[in-house]
């Protein structure tokens, strides 16, 4: 038996499911779905096993707007975004107690400029950016420890401009460029 690509819809991961949940919630917030429709779609998304299942749950919703602002939040525990993921124009990261890890080295930038707003209570943030990224920290305020950032030597500065702002209570923010 020969496997032909497309015979099976690939399995989905947590990032795919989280993105689909956000799209359904945004459609409800925008008045596109009723409360009952949102509940039904969320059930479809949470029980989906394949990309095809997700596509069916999101079928009539408008396409996602990559320029939209996104918020990642947690009361406690870790917040982590690594691997291939879409970076919105404005990203808000809120955590009361916990560490944040954002790896932008393989992320998809749909905008040349990205604003990341950190609101962290305790715990710090580690942010990895592409080698050629331009990083600005002017709007970042730390209470306990200073931010650690050193631009790389020989960077062309032709990558995305990443502005990091916000407030960090008890923790430090460490920003590193990719080595390659």
């Amino acid at each position: 038996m020969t496997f032909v690509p497309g015979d099976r819809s690939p399995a989905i991961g947590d990032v795919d499911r989280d993105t689909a949940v956000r799209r359904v919630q945004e459609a409800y917030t925008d008045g596109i779905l009723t409360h009952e429709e949102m509940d039904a779609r969320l059930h479809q998304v949470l029980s989906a096993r394949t990309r095809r299942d997700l596509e069916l749950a999101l079928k009539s919703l408008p396409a996602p707007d990559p320029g939209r602002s996104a918020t990642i939040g947690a009361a406690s525990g870790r917040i982590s975004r690594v691997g291939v993921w879409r970076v919105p124009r404005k990203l808000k990261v809120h955590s009361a107690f916990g560490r944040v890890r954002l790896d932008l080295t393989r992320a998809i930038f749909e905008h040349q400029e990205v604003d990341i707003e950190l609101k962290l209570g305790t715990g710090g943030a580690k942010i990895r950016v592409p080698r050629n990224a331009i990083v600005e920290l002017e709007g970042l305020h730390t209470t306990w420890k200073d931010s650690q950032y050193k631009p790389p030597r020989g960077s062309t500065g032709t990558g995305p401009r990443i502005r990091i702002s916000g407030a960090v209570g008890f923790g430090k923010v460490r920003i590193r460029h990719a080595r390659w």
Side-chain angles (χ1 to χ4, degrees):
M1 178 178 205
T2 306
F3 177 75
V4 177
D7 279 355
R8 292 187 186 163
S9 181
I12 58 171
D14 290 339
V15 173
D16 297 318
R17 192 179 312 278
D18 291 345
T19 300
V21 165
R22 277 194 302 277
R23 279 190 60 198
V24 170
Q25 291 171 335
E26 287 170 2
Y28 173 71
T29 303
D30 293 343
I32 296 167
L33 297 176
T34 66
H35 185 74
E36 293 78 20
E37 290 170 326
M38 178 191 68
D39 283 345
R41 299 239 189 168
L42 286 176
H43 177 72
Q44 281 182 291
V45 167
L46 295 174
S47 60
R49 293 179 179 254
T50 65
R51 291 194 191 283
R52 179 75 180 132
D53 295 340
L54 280 183
E55 289 170 6
L56 290 173
L58 305 173
K59 187 176 179 181
S60 65
L61 298 182
D65 179 5
R68 200 172 189 145
S69 148
T71 301
I72 305 169
S76 63
R78 294 183 181 187
I79 295 174
S80 181
R81 288 291 184 269
V82 298
V84 178
W85 59 287
R86 293 189 187 282
V87 180
R89 171 70 181 86
K90 294 181 182 180
L91 177 64
K92 297 177 183 179
V93 182
H94 300 181
S95 176
F97 306 100
R99 296 181 187 165
V100 173
R101 178 178 173 213
L102 298 176
D103 188 340
L104 303 170
T105 57
R106 293 180 46 211
I108 299 167
F109 289 85
E110 295 178 346
H111 302 277
Q112 189 60 28
E113 295 185 0
V114 172
D115 293 312
I116 298 175
E117 176 187 296
L118 300 175
K119 286 189 180 180
L120 308 178
T122 61
K126 291 182 180 180
I127 303 172
R128 288 191 61 211
V129 299
R131 176 108 180 117
N132 61 350
I134 302 163
V135 177
E136 297 175 2
L137 299 174
E138 293 172 10
L140 183 63
H141 304 285
T142 56
T143 304
W144 190 48
K145 291 188 174 187
D146 289 333
S147 305
Q148 294 181 342
Y149 173 66
K150 184 178 177 183
R153 290 184 180 177
S155 174
T156 60
T158 57
R161 179 177 301 273
I162 302 169
R163 286 186 289 271
I164 301 173
S165 64
V168 178
F170 297 99
K172 64 182 172 184
V173 177
R174 190 177 340 176
I175 300 153
R176 300 277 189 256
H177 284 264
R179 293 183 183 181
W180 33 264

